Amino acid sequence: MDLTGYWVSVVSEDWRYRMMTPPKGDAGGVPLNAEGRRVAGEWDPARDTATGEACRAYGAPGVMRRPGRLHISWQDDRTLKVDTDAGTQTRLFRFGGGAPAVPGERSWQGTSTAAWDGVGGRGATRWGSLRVVTTQLRPGYVRKNGVPYSESAVLTEYFDAHPGPGSSSWITITTIVNDPRYLGQEFITSTDFRKEPDGSKWNPTPCSAD
């Protein structure tokens, strides 16, 4: 499947958590443990801005849920590049084992390895989802209001392309966050994007902590 092009998020669920910043401590639907709830209750956007941490909600486990647009292209034959206009972030999905992780080197987008998941029938194989696993993350937020994930988090995503209403093309991204420090179980969401004809509406904006 061809994921390249410009895509716009379609916010048809979790409006109150995605289109606006919820109040501090509002973590409805996120399976936080006691430590996660404590950390969420200490969210301070002014502090994040002052310490250069305004991009905490734009790390890989949260950025795809930010309303906005994606630009997906091939950086080279083995690397799929995903730019987000929300927070002006760049994610790199590396095929064939990915880039070697450097101990202690973490970033908002981490290190992502990608593979096509094949599904078979009658001895034949067709390609289904794009599976992306991301580690080496800096601690951040799965929601804008300080609902946390830690540096121990592992992010698994499945990208599925499918037709939408009329002749439109859509991507659904199923996101699974595992974090033994702040979550009592997996945090699973699905996010929809509709393909746009061109990049005329592309509008990168910097990270905002509030």
Side-chain angles (χ1 to χ4, degrees), residues 35-59:
E35 178 65 4
R37 290 191 296 272
R38 183 191 67 79
V39 172
E42 295 179 347
W43 174 58
D44 183 347
R47 180 184 60 200
D48 287 345
T49 299
T51 57
E53 300 274 290
C55 287
R56 276 181 171 265
Y58 299 84

Side-chain angles (χ1 to χ4, degrees), residues 140-163:
Y141 305 142
V142 296
R143 285 191 180 149
K144 196 75 182 290
N145 64 332
V147 179
Y149 64 85
S150 75
E151 64 181 17
S152 300
V154 175
L155 171 67
T156 304
E157 297 165 286
Y158 296 90
F159 289 66
D160 291 287
H162 55 91

Side-chain angles (χ1 to χ4, degrees), residues 110-187:
T111 298
S112 296
T113 59
W116 300 106
D117 275 357
V119 292
R122 293 182 173 273
T125 298
R126 63 181 177 85
W127 296 115
S129 300
L130 170 66
R131 175 169 48 87
V132 180
V133 178
T134 302
T135 57
Q136 291 294 103
L137 290 159
R138 290 178 64 175
Y141 305 142
V142 296
R143 285 191 180 149
K144 196 75 182 290
N145 64 332
V147 179
Y149 64 85
S150 75
E151 64 181 17
S152 300
V154 175
L155 171 67
T156 304
E157 297 165 286
Y158 296 90
F159 289 66
D160 291 287
H162 55 91
S167 58
S168 61
S169 298
W170 290 50
I171 297 172
T172 297
I173 306 172
T174 303
T175 300
I176 305 168
V177 182
N178 283 279
D179 185 355
R181 182 170 180 182
Y182 293 141
L183 298 179
Q185 62 187 59
E186 294 177 336
F187 176 45

Side-chain angles (χ1 to χ4, degrees), residues 8 20 22 30 36 49 53 63 67 71-72 84 91 97 99 101 108 110 114 118-119 142 161 163 173 175 196 200 207:
V8 62
M20 59 190 72
V30 183
T49 299
E53 300 274 290
V63 70
H71 180 212
I72 303 178
T84 72
R91 304 185 64 191
W108 297 125
V119 292
V142 296
I173 306 172
T175 300
E196 297 195 304
S200 59
C207 298

Side-chain angles (χ1 to χ4, degrees), residues 12-136:
S12 56
E13 84 294 309
D14 286 347
W15 182 276
R16 62 182 289 220
Y17 295 118
R18 298 179 61 192
M19 295 301 293
M20 59 190 72
T21 302
K24 180 165 65 175
D26 185 350
V30 183
L32 293 177
N33 58 24
E35 178 65 4
R37 290 191 296 272
R38 183 191 67 79
V39 172
E42 295 179 347
W43 174 58
D44 183 347
R47 180 184 60 200
D48 287 345
T49 299
T51 57
E53 300 274 290
C55 287
R56 276 181 171 265
Y58 299 84
V63 70
M64 308 303 264
R65 297 289 281 176
R66 304 283 77 76
R69 290 176 166 82
L70 308 178
H71 180 212
I72 303 178
S73 60
W74 286 97
Q75 176 169 282
D76 55 50
D77 289 346
R78 300 173 69 86
T79 309
L80 194 64
K81 181 180 179 183
V82 180
D83 291 307
T84 72
D85 66 354
T88 317
Q89 299 295 303
T90 297
R91 304 185 64 191
L92 298 176
F93 300 165
R94 295 181 173 90
F95 292 79
V102 178
E105 185 174 312
R106 299 180 180 274
S107 67
W108 297 125
Q109 305 311 324
T111 298
S112 296
T113 59
W116 300 106
D117 275 357
V119 292
R122 293 182 173 273
T125 298
R126 63 181 177 85
W127 296 115
S129 300
L130 170 66
R131 175 169 48 87
V132 180
V133 178
T134 302
T135 57
Q136 291 294 103

